[in-house]
């Protein structure tokens, strides 16, 4: 009797593991494939490319009219040997991607603040979700700091982060996303700010 119960438990475990394995294998890693920081007359400019695929669960939510929120963040830290590095600059870009069922088009809104709060929001329409996603994945000459915030006599590091912001999703989706790898779109990269090369 005990052997039969143990076999049944092992079989059920095997079925669950087999069923879950393909879902995990389909999830691609998020990575920052390109990052360039330069110093121009307008300030410190960042260009970057983030590579990721939208998992089926997110595509299904978008198709049902649930918008997705992405955040790009850039921070500049000044090295300090005696304490933690000091953050001298921070910039954020909040993006809201939504499908418009009536027009069958995709709307992308971009703002320096969380969308929904007061402030300027830029909007753009796309015919396909691939075009809208490409606009999210590419950042070109984004001004992340003034030149006056950079000390030329010290060493600075630029940190760039990109993520899907599940905290802005409706509550049922937030609960469902906890611990699910399909909802984990997150990448970060850091590099030194080369002032001489940027001039």
């Amino acid at each position: 009797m005990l052997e039969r119960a143990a076999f049944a438990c092992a079989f059920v475990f095997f079925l669950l593991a087999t069923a879950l394995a393909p879902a995990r294998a389909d999830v691609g890693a998020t990575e920052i494939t390109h990052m360039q920081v330069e110093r121009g007359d307008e300030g410190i400019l960042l260009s970057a490319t983030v590579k990721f695929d939208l998992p089926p669960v997110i595509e299904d939510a978008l198709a049902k009219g649930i918008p997705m929120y992405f955040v790009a963040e850039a921070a500049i830290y000044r090295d300090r040997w005696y304490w933690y590095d000091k953050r001298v600059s921070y910039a954020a870009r909040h993006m809201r991607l939504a499908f418009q069922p009536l027009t069958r088009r995709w709307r992308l809104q971009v703002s320096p603040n969380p969308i929904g709060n007061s402030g300027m929001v830029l909007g753009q329409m796309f015919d396909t979700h691939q075009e809208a996603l490409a606009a999210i994945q590419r950042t070109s000459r984004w001004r992340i700091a003034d030149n006056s915030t950079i000390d030329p006599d010290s060493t600075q590091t630029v940190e760039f982060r990109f993520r899907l912001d599940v905290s802005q999703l409706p509550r049922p989706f937030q609960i469902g996303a906890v611990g699910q790898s399909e909802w984990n779109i997150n990448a970060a990269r850091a590099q030194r700010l080369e002032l001489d090369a940027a001039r």
Side-chain angles (χ1 to χ4, degrees):
M1 186 72 173
L2 290 176
E3 291 178 358
R4 186 178 297 172
F7 176 80
C9 287
F11 184 71
V12 170
F13 179 79
F14 171 77
L15 289 177
L16 287 173
T18 305
L20 292 176
R24 290 178 181 168
D26 291 341
V27 177
T30 306
E31 62 176 322
I32 298 169
T33 57
H34 166 75
M35 178 176 169
Q36 178 182 355
V37 183
E38 56 185 313
R39 186 175 187 180
D41 294 336
E42 316 95 296
I44 307 302
L45 308 173
L46 183 145
S47 299
T49 302
V50 183
K51 180 183 175 184
F52 65 91
D53 295 319
L54 288 181
V57 65
I58 295 180
E59 289 188 343
D60 289 345
L62 282 166
K64 292 174 182 174
I66 306 298
M68 292 294 143
Y69 298 83
F70 299 89
V71 181
E73 299 171 296
I76 300 177
Y77 292 87
R78 189 178 72 224
D79 290 4
R80 295 194 294 190
W81 63 268
Y82 58 89
W83 196 244
Y84 295 110
D85 294 346
K86 180 181 180 181
R87 189 172 82 177
V88 296
S89 177
Y90 173 81
R93 178 175 280 182
H94 297 263
M95 294 161 279
R96 180 184 186 270
L97 176 64
F99 179 62
Q100 309 290 311
L102 292 178
T103 60
R104 308 295 297 174
R105 301 186 76 197
W106 295 83
R107 180 174 177 80
L108 176 64
Q109 295 174 287
V110 181
S111 172
N113 302 306
I115 296 176
N117 296 355
S118 59
M120 185 178 66
V121 178
L122 300 176
Q124 191 173 0
M125 300 296 289
F126 297 91
D127 292 327
T128 67
H129 114 281
Q130 290 87 354
E131 292 173 337
L133 206 59
I136 292 173
Q137 293 173 325
R138 285 195 306 266
T139 301
S140 179
R141 296 180 61 82
W142 174 28
R143 182 174 169 272
I144 61 173
D146 294 328
N147 284 322
S148 59
T149 63
I150 304 304
D151 181 0
D153 297 324
S154 62
T155 304
Q156 276 96 187
T157 300
V158 180
E159 289 188 3
F160 175 66
R161 296 182 180 275
F162 181 91
R163 61 187 169 87
L164 171 67
D165 187 3
V166 296
S167 69
Q168 295 195 60
L169 295 175
R171 180 63 68 181
F173 283 88
Q174 291 184 36
I175 296 171
V178 173
Q180 299 296 318
S181 59
E182 291 90 348
W183 293 89
N184 185 23
I185 297 177
N186 197 330
R189 184 167 167 178
Q191 73 178 49
R192 293 292 188 189
L193 177 58
E194 304 292 343
L195 295 179
D196 292 338
R199 287 174 183 167

